[in-house]
Amino acid sequence: MKILATYNIKGGVGKTASAVNLAHVAAGRGNRVLLWDLDPQGAATFYFRVKPKVKGGGEALLSGRRELADVIKGSDYDNLDIVPADFSYRHLDLMLDDAKKPLARLRKVLSGVADEYDYVFLDCAPSISLTSESVFRAADALLVPVIPTTLSIRTFDQLDAFVAENPDIVRKLKIMGFFSMADSRKRLHRELMDELREQRPELLPSQVPMDTDIERMGVHRQPVTAMFPKSRPARAYQSLWDDIVERL
Amino acid sequence: MSEFHRFVVDGIIDPAVTLAAFAEQVGLSENEAEEFDRRFFDTPDGRLHADQSTLEVRNSVEFPLMCSLVWLKGGQVLASARVESGFSPDFAGSLPAGPAFDRLRELVEMRRFLPVATVRSRLSTGGHLDAEEKTTARVHIDLPSLPDGRSLPALIEVRAVRGYEAETAGLLRAMRAHEAFEPSDLSTADFARAMVGASPYLPGKLSLQLDDRASADEVWRVVLRELHEAMTANFRGTVEDVDSEYLHDFRVAVRRTRSVLQEGRGVLTPAARDHFRDGFKWLGDITTPTRDADVHLLDYPNMIAALSPEYAEALAPLHELLLSRQRSCQAQLALDLRSTRRAQLGAEWAEFLSGEGPWMDRSSGESGDAAEADRRARDVAAERIERAHSRLVRDGRTIDGSSEPEALHDLRKDAKRLRYLLECFGSLFPAEDLSVAVKPLKSLQDVLGEFQDTEVQAHALAQFGRQLDTEGASTDTILAMGGAIEQLSVRQSRARREFAARFESFDSREVEHAYASITGTGTTKSKKRKKKNR
Ligand SMILES: Nc1ncnc2c1ncn2[C@@H]1O[C@H](COP(=O)(O)OP(=O)(O)OP(=O)(O)O)[C@@H](O)[C@H]1O
Ligand SMILES: [Mg+2]
């Protein structure tokens, strides 16, 4: 079982869109996939029409009082299951702080379903906090969407700095950055992307374009890869998934 | 994942009408129905059937070139891929790549897929939705018919989406209450097989339920008859080499038969015992070269997986050699199995098992030859198990780091003897004792088997290497074979190291108690427990 987390310090960069669509693509390839929506806002949960509620809340899961397997909900797609968001997740930091070995907690909880899934996606809220640190510890790879603007590129630098300063936390974590909401009609985007690819050759070759079909996910409450599987953004997520598998 | 519920749709009304009315009543959303020609496949021993899943190649009737291979369970697609029209899977290797089909590969192992039924189905999938239009249950409807037009029972399958079992309970209640719906264990493939009178799947494990009050003579014969059935069931597939497991299972039945004959001292007449022990030894021996060749081929993928890719490629000539050896051994085996000697053995054995012919005459031998025949089978079997167990324990305890490999090979035979006794006569004894007795024995046998097999295989590889060398194989091939032999010797040393721990768990108090309880010697655990309670 591989654990992949979509992560960026900054909000609104396409973390949830990536987690939802990549999870759907991975499941479509025959992998057994679990998506855990760790963001109390519950955007991923909403896209799958699942109720944002976990019996006993995040506390029950983290304390081990409730097995993760007991709160899993099947999605409308084969091989793709969801752990819903819960309002209590906004106190996840405090809950972790109270727990024994907070950084190892998340991985421990996930180990209960290790036989059932090939891939787990964690969709995180934007921040650097105890929660994200324990996500870093649990995950095999961080999927980091980057909007090609000067500002978001700086957030990528911040993540690098964090990784450099905390080798004990990140350990074997692979960091996979990729462009999100890329608008190749904008000259600024194109130039920034060229420049950044030169600086960071490790960026994944595929990129997710700016596309209104992705916004429409909120209306249809479906992954774009399910709604319009042949569309440009759907194909982008498919080839992004190929890139990720290659790096794992 | 979550289980499914299957119903057949009965009654005098057209099932399609019944189903449409039901869908309306409970509010099912339904996708368009689509017609498919479906060819179902299963292994000779029905592994998919046992798994409650089915594998089919389906062609859309409307788009006949749209052809896919689909692995289904209760309507849920476990794996699917587009295939060429006319495709038929044979071995696991012919399945499409990918993690979903990997799970099917694990299930079928070395068995071959055989066509089991052909059906035309009208399929549709619907959903039971909640207020958010989230699917809480999947409903699959199948209206099937045979190629000759005869209709098969219509099926409706319901599977709660994980985490929505409570929401689905009402739907299931409505289905159970519906007069036209009958719960069913059978799939469309099963119904089609039954309609065309297909032969049953091969039996898996021995499923003897022996009568613990019966006489030794009776029980021995029941066991031998059951083994005879296994041999017969696997005979044709062995001759025709459908897959390697037929021969494997055939050999197991032969070896068990030999063992039961061996343990039949005093139960069977010496004349019969000697005659058939010879006969089945011969039958076992003629199957050995082919089995060895099969084992080399089955192990080949593991062998190359352990080597670096360029070496793996260099081993191709070895693979060719193994294939051609298997073919020639198999051809000889087929001849031997069709020989008059084999036919005569078969006829005599059938006569013996039916209780007729000269083999039954207990009076013809010296008196006392079959003195144990009328004793209770349970007592006789218990004594034999006790003897085999104490011998294994005694011999095993003498083995240490300095023992010769021969000592371990001999121990393997001791262990086999005990295992066969437990397999063939185990049902005469309490199941819980039996499982405690068998588990550590099996794990001990695994390591003894690995120890010997790796040695035998290394010898064979060395021989093949010399042969390939004289035939002018490349240096890379010879080096790669050296690497493979090295791997085997690493595995053998590992087995040797593991032996002590495995034997220790076998030679433990708890296991000894289980054997004591089976054989009726010493204080058993259950007796002790009772004493305590008093
Ligand atoms: N490639 C894209 N093209 C157009 N719109 C997009 C794209 N990716 C995401 N969006 C839209 O941008 C918004 C934010 O995206 P998303 O929720 O995926 O980001 P996020 O990083 O998860 O945000 P948050 O930090 O709030 O969790 C959403 O409305 C989404 O529909
Ligand atoms: Mg988000």
Side-chain angles (χ1 to χ4, degrees):
Chain A
M1 186 177 79
K2 293 271 184 214
I3 301 173
L4 313 172
T6 51
Y7 178 79
N8 194 317
I9 302 163
K10 221 171 111 50
V13 297
K15 295 186 294 292
T16 299
S18 303
V20 164
N21 288 295
L22 290 171
H24 179 257
V25 168
R29 301 268 170 92
N31 300 291
R32 297 164 304 172
V33 179
L34 181 67
L35 168 61
W36 187 350
D37 185 355
L38 281 169
D39 185 342
Q41 292 188 44
T45 309
F46 173 81
Y47 287 136
F48 286 106
R49 300 168 190 255
V50 174
K51 292 196 179 69
K53 180 135 191 55
V54 169
K55 271 187 224 142
E59 212 271 319
L61 285 179
L62 288 181
S63 65
R65 265 192 298 117
R66 189 175 288 279
E67 295 285 327
L68 188 62
D70 294 343
V71 305
I72 291 174
K73 298 282 180 184
S75 75
D76 284 7
Y77 311 97
D78 284 333
N79 289 331
L80 176 51
D81 291 345
I82 312 295
V83 179
D86 190 88
F87 200 48
S88 66
Y89 289 177
R90 68 197 195 287
H91 303 309
L92 224 47
D93 271 346
L94 291 174
M95 294 175 200
L96 280 169
D97 209 18
D98 284 348
K100 278 181 286 174
K101 297 198 192 162
L103 288 180
R105 219 48 244 162
L106 213 50
R107 186 152 203 131
K108 179 103 205 319
V109 172
L110 282 163
S111 67
V113 296
D115 292 342
E116 284 191 69
Y117 296 98
D118 301 311
Y119 294 102
V120 177
F121 287 83
L122 304 175
D123 186 28
C124 305
S127 68
I128 278 204
S129 59
L130 193 53
T131 307
S132 34
E133 284 174 22
S134 69
V135 166
F136 293 174
R137 171 63 68 82
D140 297 286
L142 277 195
L143 311 176
V144 187
V146 185
I147 304 179
T149 62
T150 0
L151 193 71
S152 52
I153 283 161
R154 222 177 303 137
T155 64
F156 204 42
D157 292 339
Q158 281 175 325
L159 179 61
D160 270 0
F162 179 86
V163 168
E165 287 159 22
N166 297 278
D168 52 320
I169 291 180
V170 297
R171 286 190 189 165
K172 281 175 287 180
L173 186 68
K174 290 186 177 133
I175 298 194
M176 305 189 192
F178 60 92
F179 290 121
S180 169
M181 302 189 189
D183 192 345
S184 44
R185 283 164 311 180
K186 285 192 189 142
R187 219 183 76 207
L188 184 64
H189 270 204
R190 280 203 312 272
E191 283 172 6
L192 267 169
M193 287 196 287
D194 286 347
E195 195 180 312
L196 204 70
R197 278 203 189 280
E198 215 157 275
Q199 285 172 25
R200 298 177 174 275
E202 74 278 12
L203 282 166
L204 297 177
S206 302
Q207 58 200 45
V208 181
M210 179 66 105
D211 197 299
T212 49
D213 281 348
I214 296 180
E215 285 169 50
R216 281 156 68 192
M217 282 175 34
V219 181
H220 293 268
R221 298 178 75 180
Q222 289 178 28
V224 70
T225 47
M227 202 164 37
F228 309 117
K230 297 269 153 65
S231 64
R232 200 169 59 115
R235 277 179 290 139
Y237 285 118
Q238 286 151 11
S239 76
L240 185 61
W241 176 244
D242 292 334
D243 292 348
I244 292 165
V245 171
E246 191 154 306
R247 295 276 172 95
L248 275 174
Chain B
M1 293 209 180
S2 55
E3 56 176 321
F4 65 93
H5 305 266
R6 190 193 284 136
F7 300 82
V8 293
V9 187
D10 264 343
I12 38 171
I13 306 170
D14 178 357
V17 175
T18 307
L19 286 164
F22 180 72
E24 173 91 36
Q25 177 202 328
V26 298
L28 294 183
S29 77
E30 199 182 325
N31 299 348
E32 278 279 305
E34 215 183 326
E35 252 189 323
F36 293 99
D37 284 322
R38 316 165 77 192
R39 288 182 290 128
F40 289 97
F41 295 84
D42 205 337
T43 59
D45 54 348
R47 291 186 180 198
L48 296 176
H49 170 81
D51 179 55
Q52 293 198 303
S53 62
T54 54
L55 180 72
E56 66 187 271
V57 174
R58 61 160 72 150
N59 283 72
S60 155
V61 171
E62 201 176 347
F63 302 95
L65 295 179
M66 288 292 278
C67 184
S68 31
L69 180 70
V70 186
W71 182 30
L72 277 178
K73 189 172 201 161
Q76 184 193 15
V77 174
L78 298 177
S80 80
R82 286 285 301 277
V83 289
E84 293 280 312
S85 206
F87 170 83
S88 296
D90 51 25
F91 287 101
S94 70
L95 297 171
F101 280 110
D102 283 345
R103 289 190 284 280
L104 180 54
R105 266 184 273 278
E106 268 169 41
L107 181 65
V108 304
E109 297 177 292
M110 73 305 277
R111 296 241 70 150
R112 183 196 284 267
F113 289 111
L114 300 174
V116 293
T118 303
V119 165
R120 174 169 287 194
S121 280
R122 224 183 142 66
L123 297 178
S124 60
T125 296
H128 201 234
L129 310 179
D130 70 5
E132 309 271 292
E133 302 212 347
K134 166 81 183 73
T135 308
T136 53
R138 296 260 171 77
V139 180
H140 303 274
I141 291 173
D142 183 356
L143 298 171
S145 59
L146 288 172
D148 62 15
R150 280 185 292 167
S151 63
L152 292 165
L155 294 181
I156 175 165
E157 290 168 329
V158 175
R159 185 170 57 84
V161 172
R162 182 169 183 170
Y164 294 92
E165 289 78 10
E167 287 83 343
T168 309
L171 174 64
L172 284 169
R173 238 185 339 264
M175 298 188 70
R176 290 199 192 97
H178 199 295
E179 61 202 355
F181 296 163
E182 257 324 300
S184 166
D185 282 338
L186 301 180
S187 69
T188 291
D190 295 330
F191 281 116
R193 271 170 47 80
M195 287 281 270
V196 300
S199 47
Y201 291 114
L202 288 173
K205 281 188 189 154
L206 270 189
S207 58
L208 284 161
Q209 278 312 320
L210 300 170
D211 177 359
D212 66 358
R213 288 153 313 179
S215 71
D217 179 54
E218 275 171 69
V219 162
W220 249 253
R221 221 168 282 272
V222 168
V223 174
L224 289 171
R225 257 186 231 126
E226 180 83 13
L227 294 171
H228 182 56
E229 258 169 48
M231 249 183 270
T232 312
N234 285 289
F235 184 77
R236 244 187 83 182
T238 301
V239 172
E240 291 169 5
D241 194 18
V242 173
D243 63 33
S244 60
E245 205 59 6
Y246 276 100
L247 173 59
H248 173 266
D249 290 353
F250 183 78
R251 278 168 59 81
V252 169
V254 170
R255 271 185 294 165
R256 284 177 177 157
T257 300
R258 289 176 61 194
S259 170
V260 174
L261 286 169
Q262 154 100 18
E263 306 294 347
R265 201 181 316 104
V267 177
L268 309 167
T269 63
R273 217 173 134 248
D274 293 347
H275 179 72
F276 289 116
R277 280 176 69 194
D278 284 350
F280 284 108
K281 174 166 185 345
W282 169 78
L283 188 58
D285 288 348
I286 61 169
T287 62
T288 301
T290 312
R291 177 60 193 169
D292 288 348
D294 284 344
V295 169
H296 287 306
L297 280 172
L298 290 169
D299 205 41
Y300 186 77
N302 298 335
M303 195 163 83
I304 56 173
L307 294 175
S308 62
E310 67 269 26
Y311 271 173
E313 217 162 282
L315 272 186
L318 173 64
H319 193 235
E320 281 304 308
L321 178 68
L322 294 178
L323 278 173
S324 88
R325 275 183 60 89
Q326 198 278 343
R327 276 192 295 266
S328 66
C329 291
Q330 171 66 34
Q332 182 60 49
L333 173 62
L335 283 180
D336 290 341
L337 288 177
R338 288 195 181 109
S339 66
T340 26
R341 179 164 182 191
R342 217 291 312 164
Q344 193 184 340
L345 174 63
E348 287 172 352
W349 187 235
E351 188 179 56
F352 170 77
L353 291 178
S354 69
E356 286 161 22
W359 315 111
M360 283 307 288
D361 194 358
R362 284 195 212 157
S363 59
S364 73
E366 287 159 37
S367 64
D369 280 346
E372 320 235 40
D374 294 327
R375 288 181 60 204
R376 246 166 54 133
R378 188 188 158 124
D379 299 337
V380 179
E383 285 168 17
R384 315 263 143 126
I385 290 171
E386 205 217 326
R387 212 170 307 152
H389 173 247
S390 43
R391 180 171 170 159
L392 177 57
V393 169
R394 184 197 69 201
D395 291 354
R397 283 180 185 166
T398 66
I399 290 176
D400 59 25
S402 65
S403 304
E404 293 293 316
E406 273 311 312
L408 282 119
H409 299 337
D410 288 343
L411 198 69
R412 185 190 189 187
K413 290 184 200 147
D414 289 350
K416 265 192 176 165
R417 178 170 175 208
L418 178 57
R419 180 72 180 284
Y420 287 141
L421 277 165
L422 294 173
E423 280 174 344
C424 295
F425 300 104
S427 66
L428 295 168
F429 307 98
E432 58 178 296
D433 290 330
L434 200 68
S435 101
V436 177
V438 169
K439 238 196 209 147
L441 174 60
K442 197 162 170 264
S443 129
L444 175 65
Q445 282 186 289
D446 286 345
V447 73
L448 289 169
E450 172 85 351
F451 182 75
Q452 183 161 13
D453 293 346
T454 46
E455 182 174 309
V456 171
Q457 277 210 58
H459 273 293
L461 276 188
Q463 203 183 328
F464 296 149
R466 282 190 289 276
Q467 183 179 341
L468 288 170
D469 193 23
T470 57
E471 289 168 5
S474 74
T475 323
D476 276 358
T477 302
I478 304 301
L479 281 175
M481 293 198 54
I485 292 171
E486 186 97 347
Q487 288 292 338
L488 287 166
S489 89
V490 169
R491 273 167 58 187
Q492 193 188 21
S493 328
R494 195 182 310 138
R496 172 92 208 209
R497 279 199 304 277
E498 272 173 34
F499 166 77
R502 302 269 179 120
F503 184 76
E504 206 179 288
S505 349
F506 174 76
D507 191 16
S508 70
R509 275 211 100 87
E510 194 201 359
V511 178
E512 201 187 319
H513 275 308
Y515 279 96
S517 160
I518 287 173
T519 59
T521 55
T523 330
T524 69
K525 230 166 90 179
S526 49
K527 274 184 203 158
K528 257 193 191 162
R529 222 182 286 130
K530 269 184 210 145
K531 266 187 212 151
K532 240 193 227 160
N533 289 348
R534 254 182 240 147

